[in-house]
């Protein structure tokens, strides 16, 4: 039996469906659908999409969602575990190890093949498990950040009779008609959405009706200026070619700057313009400094391998005469020098950091941003809700003499009540006056006629109401200077008089006095106009009459002073970027203990050139009365001076600054576009929560650095040891299979690093990625291990007479144990700038894997497995010498490290 309401006849497939048109055909099809919607009137578009002006019913929505799939684009889809596991095998190192295993099998060396296969499985399984957990954790964390759309719903009983619903097995009822908030991934073609300032456009939509709608399309087109959108048909029907150029279409990923609109969804998910673009670039993203640093370190170690492996092959081939043995030995050396654990260590640290930060109410959207959070040394933040309680209270409503005035409150209430844009906290505070609502009899005595929405250039907004069919009244409220600019008169009691310079100074002085008391001031003005049907515009905001001021209190947050102290202790400078009055901002900073070194206002910033402003941003604490572009400019200049800048914002005017900063920080209650622009989202708007996230970011970075310092210095030292041994010994210093096993056990010992402790003093200052520091550390620390390797060579050669081909097994075994012990122990020296075990203790798991690997290394020569790998039992005297070598190695490395930290610092 067919449903009485058809689905849109569009050729769609659920997200993730294997059926997909070629990209060019898909783009052409989607563009045609959008162009068709643009050509038709709103009524025709609704009919084509089988929708109504009241939207869809919940039943219709669910049926369409099952057919077209969720409103997700390619890069948002989680990868299946099978694809992820197979992707782990697509790795140059795994290919190298697999080739070595195959060669070993073909030449009859099954022992080496087994160990190499074990290394492959160990590396792949460990990396897969960490990446799988990381992706699933990140996906779960992203679900905590809610992005919703407002849709219209009507009762399904308008579309289908109860009898027919029963025959179809459908349940009707329980639906609430009218506007509803739903997750944007549940939007389907035909949904009617309501848009207002601050909203992200949730899909590709056709505008049905609008009011002063301006949209930023910078994410799609790069246009810096907002574009006006309206419901009208294009002027030139024959010129319709590119949907992005049409003013009656809005697109997923763009955002509403000002105004409001009703629109119908035409395309969702991968068929949107953004989705089609994402399909062509999925998996490609710009590389951060962190990505480049990891690549540089990997490349450095690979260079060692490329130089070392051929050199060892040639030297051993010439000196020993066995080129086959030399080949396997060189390959084993290459494997030992390759940083196969680096991806796992980095992934494990970042995923563990993201999970730990979530427990601190810090949600990481971009996992690589954890490193930037730890490196941040300047935090730019708004004042409201961060330094203050985010609980605005209306305290006063005054005339120009500072006397209580009910008319000011009445006009302010009507303005806030009838505006349809994004309501600010000031509007919420005004509307909390329930008695005023009853006294005015708003629904009975007034009717909204029109609205001139707020924008950040005018910094005011107006509504036009009709009072009892008598006249139209334009009520305007906003920043005092902006209201005074459009006023020609002022109301003093029942008398309206011209606004002269003396009265202007009187009002400004009243505002300054209120600001000094920490009150935020908004001016209210109005004018009566005759009844008319024409739409109102910005030009009507003129010749207004100033009625008075309303003053709000936003008390300082109790935790702000403590948070400022903690951030300063962690060497993070806090700067306030606000659209508010500089006097209020200065008082708030004083109340929370933030030292103010300088103040700049937007007008002064606008008059400065780049060079002058670049010098001023360093020494300025408060930037007040800023526009969105001025916020971005300040952050850009701070970054250009070498700072790692974080920006914390939650408003429409913060989106550009969030994108400009090294790390954008928003809150879960922010407007959609702010959350989408942020790298990190706080579930609680508090600097204390952010401070905990900074500590976790630095802890994560510190543990990654430990492995890199260990890996580079160990590889550098091994290079000298292998070259020297290959030149002077008449036999191989260690069998290829023993090198592989040594490397496997060493890799296992490093799995404790992501869980390790980090010294408190390491967390006290920002940490930036420095390949130069790693290279310098490697040069100073690496050769120390070679000294003790040579000492071990001398020990085995002269003391234990392992100096002939017949005694080479003893030499191999002695160096195997010493090499494994030194590599495993040295991470405890490198992991801290302090004295290990006395001033800094490792995490229990880190200590456990160290003890376990060392115990395996000592016991192995005495087992049948060791014998099968060419090892022999070591004499008891060896272990006394081993203890002396290990103690000397640790002491010398600690001394050199202490000198290094004093000279170069410990990054």
């Amino acid at each position: 039996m067919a449903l009485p309401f058809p689905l849109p006849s569009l050729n769609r497939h659920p997200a993730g469906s294997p059926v997909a048109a070629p990209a060019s055909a898909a783009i052409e099809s989607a563009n045609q659908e959008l162009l068709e919607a643009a050509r038709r009137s709103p009524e025709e578009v609704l009919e084509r999409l089988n929708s109504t002006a009241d939207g869809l019913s919940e039943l219709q929505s669910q049926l369409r969602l099952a057919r077209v799939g969720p409103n997700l684009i390619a890069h948002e889809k989680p990868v299946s575990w099978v694809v992820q596991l197979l992707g782990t095998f697509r790795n140059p190192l795994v290919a190298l190890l697999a080739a070595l295993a195959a060669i070993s099998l073909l030449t009859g060396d099954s022992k080496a093949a087994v160990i190499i296969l074990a290394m492959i499985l160990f590396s792949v399984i460990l990396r897969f498990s960490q990446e799988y957990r990381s992706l699933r954790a990140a996906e779960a964390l992203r679900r905590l950040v809610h992005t919703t759309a407002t849709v219209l719903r009507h009762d399904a009983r308008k579309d289908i009779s109860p009898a027919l619903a029963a025959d179809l097995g459908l349940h009707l009822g329980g639906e609430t008609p009218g506007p509803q908030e739903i997750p944007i991934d549940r939007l389907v073609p035909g949904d009617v959405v309501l848009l207002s300032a601050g909203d992200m456009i949730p899909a590709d939509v056709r505008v049905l009706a609008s009011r002063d709608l301006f949209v930023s399309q910078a994410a799609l087109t790069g246009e810096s200026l907002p574009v006006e959108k309206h419901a009208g048909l294009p002027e030139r029907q024959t010129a319709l070619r590119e949907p992005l150029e049409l003013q009656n279409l809005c697109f997923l990923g763009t955002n509403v700057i000002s105004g409001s609109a009703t629109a119908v969804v035409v395309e969702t998910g991968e068929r949107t313009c953004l989705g089609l673009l994402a399909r062509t670039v999925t998996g490609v993203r710009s590389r951060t400094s962190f990505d480049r640093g990891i690549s540089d370190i990997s490349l450095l170690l690979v260079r060692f391998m490329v130089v070392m492996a051929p050199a060892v092959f040639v030297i051993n081939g010439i000196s020993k005469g066995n080129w086959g043995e030399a080949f396997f030995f060189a390959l084993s050396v290459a494997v030992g020098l390759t940083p196969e654990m680096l991806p796992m260590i980095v992934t494990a640290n970042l995923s563990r950091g993201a999970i730990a930060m979530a427990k601190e109410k810090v949600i990481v959207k971009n996992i690589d941003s954890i490193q930037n959070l730890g490196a941040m040394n300047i935090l730019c933040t708004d004042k409201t809700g961060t330094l203050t309680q985010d609980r605005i209270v209306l305290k006063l409503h005054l005339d120009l003499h500072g006397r209580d005035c009910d008319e000011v409150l009445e006009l302010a209430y009507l303005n806030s009540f009838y505006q349809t844009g994004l309501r600010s906290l000031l509007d919420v505070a005004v509307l909390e006056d329930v008695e005023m609502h009853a006294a005015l009899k708003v629904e009975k005595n007034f009717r909204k006629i029109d609205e001139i929405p707020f924008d950040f250039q005018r910094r005011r907004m107006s509504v036009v109401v009709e009072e009892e069919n008598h006249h139209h009244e334009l009520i305007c409220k906003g920043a005092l200077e902006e209201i005074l600019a459009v006023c020609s008169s002022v109301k003093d009691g029942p008398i309206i008089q011209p606004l002269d310079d003396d009265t202007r100074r009187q009002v400004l002085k009243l505002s300054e006095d209120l600001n000094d008391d920490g009150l935020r001031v908004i001016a209210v003005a109005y004018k009566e106009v005759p009844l008319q049907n024409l739409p109102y515009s910005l030009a009507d905001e003129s010749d207004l009459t100033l009625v008075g001021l309303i003053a709000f209190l936003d008390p300082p947050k109790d935790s702000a002073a403590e948070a400022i102290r903690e951030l300063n202790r962690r060497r993070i400078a806090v700067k306030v970027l606000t659209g508010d009055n500089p006097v209020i901002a200065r008082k708030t900073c004083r109340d929370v203990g933030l030292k103010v070194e300088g103040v700049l206002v937007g007008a002064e910033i606008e008059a400065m050139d780049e060079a002058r402003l670049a010098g001023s941003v360093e020494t300025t604490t408060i930037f007040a009365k800023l526009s969105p572009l001025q916020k971005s400019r300040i952050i850009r200049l701070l970054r250009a001076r070498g700072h790692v800048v974080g920006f914390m914002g939650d408003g429409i005017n913060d989106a550009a600054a969030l994108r400009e900063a090294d790390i954008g920080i928003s809150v879960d209650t922010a407007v959609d576009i702010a959350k989408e622009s942020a790298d990190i989202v706080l579930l609680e708007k508090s600097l204390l929560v952010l401070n905990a996230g900074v500590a976790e970011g630095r802890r994560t970075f510190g543990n990654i650095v430990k492995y890199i310092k260990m890996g580079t210095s160990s590889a550098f030292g091994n290079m000298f040891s292998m070259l020297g041994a290959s030149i002077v010994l008449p036999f191989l210093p260690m069998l290829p299979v023993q090198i592989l096993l040594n490397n496997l056990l060493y890799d296992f010992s490093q799995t404790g690093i992501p869980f390790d402790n980090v010294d408190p003093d390491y967390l006290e200052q920002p940490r930036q990625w420095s390949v130069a520091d790693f290279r310098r550390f490697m040069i100073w620390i690496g050769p120390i291990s070679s000294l003790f390797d040579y000492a071990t060579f001398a020990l085995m050669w002269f003391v234990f007479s392992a100096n002939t081909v017949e005694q080479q097994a003893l030499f191999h075994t002695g160096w195997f144990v010493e090499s494994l012990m030194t590599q495993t122990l040295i991470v405890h020296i490198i992991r801290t700038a302090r004295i290990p075990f006395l001033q800094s203790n490792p995490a229990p798991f880190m200590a456990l894997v160290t003890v376990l690997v060392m115990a395996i290394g000592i016991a192995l020569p005495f087992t049948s497995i060791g014998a099968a790998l060419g090892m022999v039992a070591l004499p008891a005297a060896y272990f006394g010498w081993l203890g002396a070598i290990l103690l000397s190695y640790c002491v010398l490395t600690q001394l050199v490290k202490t000198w290094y930290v004093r000279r170069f610092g410990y990054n």
Side-chain angles (χ1 to χ4, degrees), residues 788 878-890:
F788 289 92
Y878 167 85
F879 293 100
W881 286 100
L882 177 65
I885 288 173
L886 293 179
L887 180 61
S888 302
Y889 178 41
C890 290

Side-chain angles (χ1 to χ4, degrees), residues 375-378 575 617-618 635 637-646 662 768:
M376 179 177 69
N377 67 336
I378 290 181
K575 296 182 182 291
V617 293
E618 291 276 5
I635 290 171
L637 289 174
L638 285 169
R639 292 183 66 197
R641 295 180 69 87
H643 297 290
V644 179
V645 183
D662 289 290
Q768 294 194 35

Side-chain angles (χ1 to χ4, degrees), residues 536-821:
Y536 288 81
S537 66
L538 298 180
D540 292 298
E541 289 182 336
S542 60
D543 293 326
L544 304 186
T545 299
L546 178 68
V547 182
L549 309 175
I550 49 177
F552 304 85
L553 178 65
D554 189 7
K557 187 171 284 187
D558 295 336
S559 61
E562 180 187 353
I564 295 293
R565 286 194 301 271
E566 285 295 306
L567 289 170
N568 288 338
R569 186 171 63 83
R570 297 192 188 280
R571 314 285 179 85
I572 298 176
V574 178
K575 296 182 182 291
V576 177
L577 276 59
T578 180
D580 209 344
N581 188 293
V583 179
I584 299 175
R586 185 187 287 272
K587 183 179 188 305
T588 302
C589 290
R590 186 169 62 245
D591 290 344
V592 300
L594 178 58
K595 184 180 178 182
V596 178
E597 295 182 348
V599 178
L600 279 176
V601 297
E604 295 170 333
I605 292 170
E606 202 64 34
M608 291 182 175
D609 59 26
E610 294 294 291
R612 186 181 169 200
L613 182 58
S616 299
V617 293
E618 291 276 5
T619 57
T620 302
T621 304
I622 296 174
F623 301 86
K625 289 189 174 295
L626 296 180
S627 69
L629 291 179
Q630 287 170 340
K631 291 183 180 182
S632 294
R633 186 183 175 197
I634 290 165
I635 290 171
R636 184 175 65 253
L637 289 174
L638 285 169
R639 292 183 66 197
R641 295 180 69 87
H643 297 290
V644 179
V645 183
F647 178 75
M648 184 172 175
D650 62 354
I652 320 164
N653 57 331
D654 294 325
L658 285 166
R659 291 194 184 102
E660 187 69 45
D662 289 290
I663 179 161
I665 306 159
S666 193
V667 293
D668 193 34
T669 54
V671 297
D672 292 345
I673 188 60
K675 287 188 288 187
E676 290 298 318
S677 302
D679 300 298
I680 283 178
V681 176
L682 309 182
L683 297 183
E684 179 181 321
K685 194 174 183 180
S686 167
L687 288 180
L688 277 179
V689 171
L690 179 61
N691 185 60
V694 168
E696 193 57 49
R698 292 179 183 176
R699 183 176 293 108
T700 300
F701 179 72
N703 280 333
I704 292 173
V705 165
K706 288 174 190 177
Y707 177 79
I708 291 173
K709 286 183 174 179
M710 177 64 212
T712 52
S713 58
S714 176
F716 194 61
N718 284 340
M719 183 174 68
F720 291 111
S721 300
M722 289 293 182
L723 283 174
S726 298
I727 293 170
V728 302
L729 294 177
F731 47 78
L732 295 177
M734 199 185 300
L735 294 178
V737 70
Q738 293 169 351
I739 293 177
L740 294 172
L741 180 60
N742 187 300
N743 192 51
L744 178 61
L745 291 171
Y746 165 68
D747 284 347
F748 178 73
S749 73
Q750 304 308 297
T751 58
I753 288 178
F755 306 93
D756 194 23
N757 300 326
V758 177
D759 295 336
D761 53 348
Y762 186 88
L763 305 178
E764 296 307 308
Q765 58 182 322
R767 303 288 173 178
Q768 294 194 35
W769 192 264
S770 174
V771 175
D773 182 70
F774 295 140
R775 189 179 294 115
R776 184 171 54 235
F777 188 88
M778 170 191 74
I779 292 171
W780 283 103
I781 300 297
I784 299 175
S785 65
S786 294
L787 293 177
F788 289 92
D789 283 340
Y790 290 137
T792 303
F793 297 163
L795 173 71
M796 302 310 295
W797 187 275
F798 294 110
V799 177
F800 295 105
S801 301
N803 49 22
T804 64
V805 174
E806 291 74 19
Q807 291 295 316
Q808 64 176 316
L810 180 61
F811 189 100
H812 296 160
T813 307
W815 190 34
F816 175 91
V817 174
E818 181 270 345
S819 176
L820 183 61
M821 297 297 106

Side-chain angles (χ1 to χ4, degrees), residues 59 142 182 193 236 335 376 463 519 559 616 682 706 754 826:
L59 177 60
R142 280 194 294 269
I182 67 169
V193 296
R236 294 179 298 163
V335 172
M376 179 177 69
V463 298
L519 295 172
S559 61
S616 299
L682 309 182
K706 288 174 190 177
I826 199 60

Side-chain angles (χ1 to χ4, degrees), residues 31 38 73 120 131 219 311 337 399 557 609 616 663 683 688 722 826 834 838 873 876 906:
N31 281 353
I73 59 177
I120 293 174
E131 289 187 351
L337 291 175
D399 63 11
K557 187 171 284 187
D609 59 26
S616 299
I663 179 161
L683 297 183
L688 277 179
M722 289 293 182
I826 199 60
R834 302 177 176 183
L838 297 179
Y906 188 80

Side-chain angles (χ1 to χ4, degrees), residues 211-212 411 414-416 418-421 427 448-455 458-465 473-478 482-483 486 523-527 536-542 544:
R211 178 60 183 157
D212 296 316
L411 293 173
L414 289 170
N415 179 286
S416 296
Y418 281 117
Q419 73 145 313
T420 57
D427 293 307
K448 179 180 176 180
I449 301 300
D450 210 340
E451 177 177 357
I452 307 173
F454 178 87
D455 66 56
R458 292 163 39 247
R459 297 200 300 153
R460 59 180 181 261
M461 68 85 53
S462 301
V463 298
V464 180
V465 297
E473 198 166 86
L474 185 149
I475 305 170
C476 184
K477 78 173 191 300
E482 310 303 333
I483 295 294
V486 293
V524 180
Y526 81 108
K527 73 174 179 181
Y536 288 81
S537 66
L538 298 180
D540 292 298
E541 289 182 336
S542 60
L544 304 186

